[in-house]
Amino acid sequence: MTAAEPARRDIVAALDIGSTKVTCFIAQGEGAEGMRVLGIGTYRSTGLKHGVVVDMDATETAVGNAVDAAEQMAGTRIERVILGVSGSQIRSHRLKAEVSVAGHAIQAADVAGVIDSASAALRAAEDNAGTDSVPIHRIPVGFAVDGGAGVKDPTGMFGETLSVDVLLATAAPGPVRNLETAISRCHLGIESLVVSAYASGLSCLVDDERDLGVTVIDMGGGTTSVAVFLEGYVVHVGVLPIGGQHVTNDIARGLSTPVASAERLKTLYGHALHAPTADRELLDVPLIGEDEDGQVNQVPRSMLTQIIRPRLDETFELVRAHLESAGLFHAAGRRVVLTGGASQINGVRDVATEILQRQVRLGRPLGLRGMADAAAGPGFAACAGLLRYGMMSLPFDRGLERYRKSSASGEAGKPRAPRAASRLGRLGQWFKQNF
Ligand SMILES: Nc1ncnc2c1ncn2[C@@H]1O[C@H](COP(=O)(O)OP(=O)(O)OP(=O)(O)O)[C@@H](O)[C@H]1O
Ligand SMILES: [Mg+2]
């Protein structure tokens, strides 16, 4: 490509590698927190299962194609991306740590230090248990000075002790390294890793929801990810290995139809709620193994509901159990926002309301200028949120990074070297910057 390559530091590139599609957005900052999307690329993903790479070549191809398309549209090349992770090995840990500040005015270094000690405590616990993980987020969700809780920002305050309540989100090292390898094969580096459901929350929630308490449920193809926001902070993230592909596979098995036909039936005629007329409405269902003009079965539309509903029930029951085991089901507020491609199944909101006993709304990315309609749906919420993560400066969004400016920050939009040049040296750079 011979496009002009402005080395603009206000350009952010986001890459969401999902189980069904890889999406790349390139955007430019506009004013305080505004953004204009310059380029969009999306490509079918076949190399992942439950958000985890199982086929490196297929993942590399999908990443390369999605990034190329976004670069062509934006007229710029990118070198580093903010990467969404939604693999099922993501875990949340809440830790408290305390340091002495001996009566001096608290400085940014004190804050970074107390967060470091929370990370060190987790690492020690993992060493004892013989486990290992990669930190994805270290977000302070509340400070206390001399035991006085509710401090939003302790810098400049005086006291004897500073304590912090930190959300540490981690992932298993293998899947993160595989994602990183697929990306480095496309000569891209990672600016930040962000849990997809957290990103979806950044793009779809309004401030009041984040303050009063809300659970974001990102219903993807191979995963259902959860992020809980409370008092402005993300306080929990988690990923469950179940998604829209399970619904499609249930339909394919239940009706003996090819997966592609099951996918079509689901998106065109699927409904989670039973309607009396659906017994009389007959659908043509091609049979597996038959050619295009081969035998079709006629089944009442209500049969789709009978297949779809149990899987959605199971999904929301798993979400409920997950929140209960994290001790957050009752603390997490009265609202739920559904995002992700699979949130578009008709009737999903009613099922969520019934099982979670919450007010449920459907979310879609907010506040992005220049976004094509096709990319403004709930399936693109996570990718849009990654852009927002790159642009935002509010304390709850950037967490620790606010206190420890990485020298690499702001380079997401730097033009990339030619594809032929090996960038394997970048492998592990993210790890180095974060330890
Ligand atoms: N209009 C629609 N109606 C019902 N389901 C839909 C619709 N559009 C997409 N889906 C489903 O959404 C799922 C894909 O969602 P999404 O694009 O959010 O997943 P992903 O990000 O690729 O995967 P993951 O986040 O799980 O790794 C697929 O199972 C697809 O069938
Ligand atoms: Mg996704």
Side-chain angles (χ1 to χ4, degrees):
M1 184 178 103
T2 55
E5 294 182 356
R8 296 184 308 224
R9 297 180 72 82
D10 59 345
I11 285 192
V12 172
L15 186 66
D16 181 33
I17 304 183
S19 309
T20 64
K21 65 176 188 341
V22 173
T23 307
C24 176
F25 287 170
I26 301 173
Q28 183 181 12
E30 270 189 347
E33 271 160 25
M35 266 179 291
R36 175 167 295 278
V37 177
L38 303 178
I40 295 169
T42 186
Y43 198 84
R44 188 161 170 255
S45 163
T46 54
L48 281 90
K49 204 163 184 190
H50 305 315
V52 171
V53 176
V54 291
D55 182 335
M56 190 64 81
D57 289 343
T59 306
E60 181 189 343
T61 303
V63 168
N65 281 303
V67 171
D68 274 348
E71 287 179 331
Q72 296 259 5
M73 187 173 158
T76 187
R77 301 199 74 182
I78 54 170
E79 190 175 59
R80 296 163 69 78
V81 293
I82 297 183
L83 178 69
V85 275
S86 67
S88 46
Q89 293 94 343
I90 285 166
R91 293 188 56 201
S92 266
H93 316 261
R94 285 285 289 277
L95 278 99
K96 281 191 178 9
E98 192 172 277
V99 287
S100 165
V101 284
H104 69 247
I106 294 168
Q107 293 167 5
D110 298 315
V111 177
V114 71
I115 294 168
D116 279 347
S117 28
S119 298
L122 175 64
R123 180 130 299 213
E126 285 186 338
D127 284 349
N128 279 341
T131 55
D132 193 12
S133 69
V134 173
I136 308 284
H137 296 291
R138 298 192 287 178
I139 299 176
V141 299
F143 295 101
V145 176
D146 293 345
V151 175
K152 288 273 174 199
D153 182 355
T155 46
M157 291 177 69
F158 290 86
E160 293 298 323
T161 56
L162 167 67
S163 49
V164 66
D165 186 1
V166 193
L167 167 69
L168 296 161
T170 62
V176 172
R177 197 154 274 272
N178 287 338
L179 272 182
E180 216 186 14
T181 304
I183 287 166
S184 69
R185 282 203 201 171
C186 296
H187 314 299
L188 289 164
I190 297 174
E191 161 118 352
S192 306
L193 288 172
V194 183
V195 175
S196 293
Y198 172 38
S200 294
L202 294 180
S203 75
C204 294
L205 300 179
V206 296
D207 287 349
D208 278 352
E209 285 175 324
R210 277 191 284 240
D211 286 342
L212 296 173
V214 63
T215 302
V216 179
I217 305 175
D218 187 285
M219 306 178 69
T223 64
T224 296
S225 339
V226 180
V228 179
F229 290 78
L230 205 55
E231 294 176 10
Y233 297 102
V234 60
V235 297
H236 178 82
V237 288
V239 182
L240 304 166
I242 189 168
Q245 284 173 329
H246 291 81
V247 177
T248 305
N249 290 342
D250 290 347
I251 295 171
R253 268 191 220 106
L255 302 182
S256 292
T257 193
V259 171
S261 140
E263 177 75 19
R264 190 176 145 271
L265 288 165
K266 177 181 82 170
T267 49
L268 288 181
Y269 307 108
H271 209 301
L273 303 179
H274 183 73
T277 53
D279 285 331
R280 296 192 293 274
E281 205 179 321
L282 294 178
L283 303 174
D284 284 343
V285 178
L287 284 180
I288 208 159
E290 298 280 346
D291 54 30
E292 265 184 27
D293 324 313
Q295 205 191 335
V296 293
N297 248 356
Q298 287 207 315
V299 301
R301 190 173 172 177
S302 56
M303 238 173 119
L304 275 182
T305 303
Q306 285 166 24
I307 296 171
I308 291 171
R309 180 65 193 254
R311 189 59 90 169
L312 290 180
D313 284 348
E314 182 195 3
T315 304
F316 290 116
E317 273 155 15
L318 285 172
V319 169
R320 187 183 170 124
H322 177 85
L323 292 172
E324 280 171 347
S325 72
L328 281 166
F329 185 68
H330 295 288
R334 304 279 322 143
R335 288 186 70 80
V336 164
V337 174
L338 302 179
T339 67
S343 71
Q344 294 170 101
I345 298 175
N346 290 312
V348 73
R349 186 177 152 175
D350 301 86
V351 181
T353 305
E354 191 181 314
I355 294 176
L356 301 173
Q357 296 289 300
R358 296 284 187 272
Q359 290 169 12
V360 181
R361 77 167 175 92
L362 301 179
R364 50 181 61 241
L366 304 168
L368 285 177
R369 284 183 283 274
M371 186 71 124
D373 282 353
F380 296 94
C383 200
L386 297 175
L387 284 182
R388 193 159 282 278
Y389 181 91
M391 292 280 182
M392 291 245 244
S393 55
L394 291 174
F396 63 80
D397 295 313
R398 297 312 297 260
L400 179 67
E401 288 160 56
R402 177 169 175 248
Y403 297 98
R404 187 187 286 139
K405 284 206 168 66
S406 147
S407 58
S409 67
E411 289 183 3
K414 251 178 75 177
R416 189 164 78 236
R419 288 256 153 90
S422 169
R423 293 271 160 176
L424 280 175
R426 290 194 175 279
L427 191 67
Q429 185 168 353
W430 183 87
F431 292 91
K432 282 184 217 123
Q433 277 165 5
N434 283 271
F435 286 96

